[in-house]
Amino acid sequence: MSEEKSSESLNLKVLTPDGPVLEGEVSEVTLPGANGEMGIFPQHAALLTGIVPGRLAYRAPDGNDTAALGRGVAEVQNNEVRVLVDSAMLKEELDLPALEGQRKELLDKIDRETHAEKITEFEKELVFIDVQVSVARGEE
């Protein structure tokens, strides 16, 4: 990727504590913001927003794609979109049958658990699994 950025594109970076998940030039990004879904286009005003678990969609030169995002923040500035989240999975990395199995296991754990803190922890995991299932199925 060249250092010089076109005013017709955005440099998208999705980063987790484990490292980069996605980086590249795109023409459009849709983020799951804390105040609702938001579209980002080239020349977008500077922005800092919270990210909630949800679907990131983007339009790249080689086609459209999606990813599942956990919680975090996004910064938009100078045609750069930096998304820093606790977890992220690209659509092609998702294994729907495995996710459905994990979802069932978590629901069983929630049903059996008696401690409120543990239930809350399991419910947070369930939200991200539900996002991954939705992305894997191609749901909008």
Side-chain angles (χ1 to χ4, degrees), residues 24-39:
E25 294 294 315
V26 301
S27 59
E28 175 184 344
V29 179
T30 303
L31 297 169
N35 294 319
E37 195 172 84
M38 65 183 73

Side-chain angles (χ1 to χ4, degrees), residues 29-93:
V29 179
T30 303
L31 297 169
N35 294 319
E37 195 172 84
M38 65 183 73
I40 309 295
F41 297 90
Q43 305 305 316
H44 196 285
L47 171 74
L48 182 63
T49 188
I51 297 295
V52 296
R55 179 181 159 273
L56 172 138
Y58 59 95
R59 184 180 312 264
D62 56 348
N64 301 343
D65 213 344
T66 57
L69 297 182
R71 294 190 181 282
V73 296
E75 177 187 34
V76 179
Q77 188 172 19
N78 299 325
N79 284 338
E80 291 196 2
V81 180
R82 286 182 293 280
V83 181
L84 303 130
V85 289
D86 58 6
S87 51
M89 295 289 292
L90 299 175
K91 182 178 180 179
E92 64 265 14
E93 297 173 339

Side-chain angles (χ1 to χ4, degrees), residues 2 16 23 37 40 42 46 52 54 60 68 74 82 88 90 104 109 122 128 139:
S2 72
T16 70
E23 184 172 352
E37 195 172 84
I40 309 295
V52 296
R82 286 182 293 280
L90 299 175
K104 184 181 179 325
K109 285 182 181 180
F122 292 151
F128 186 57
E139 297 171 353

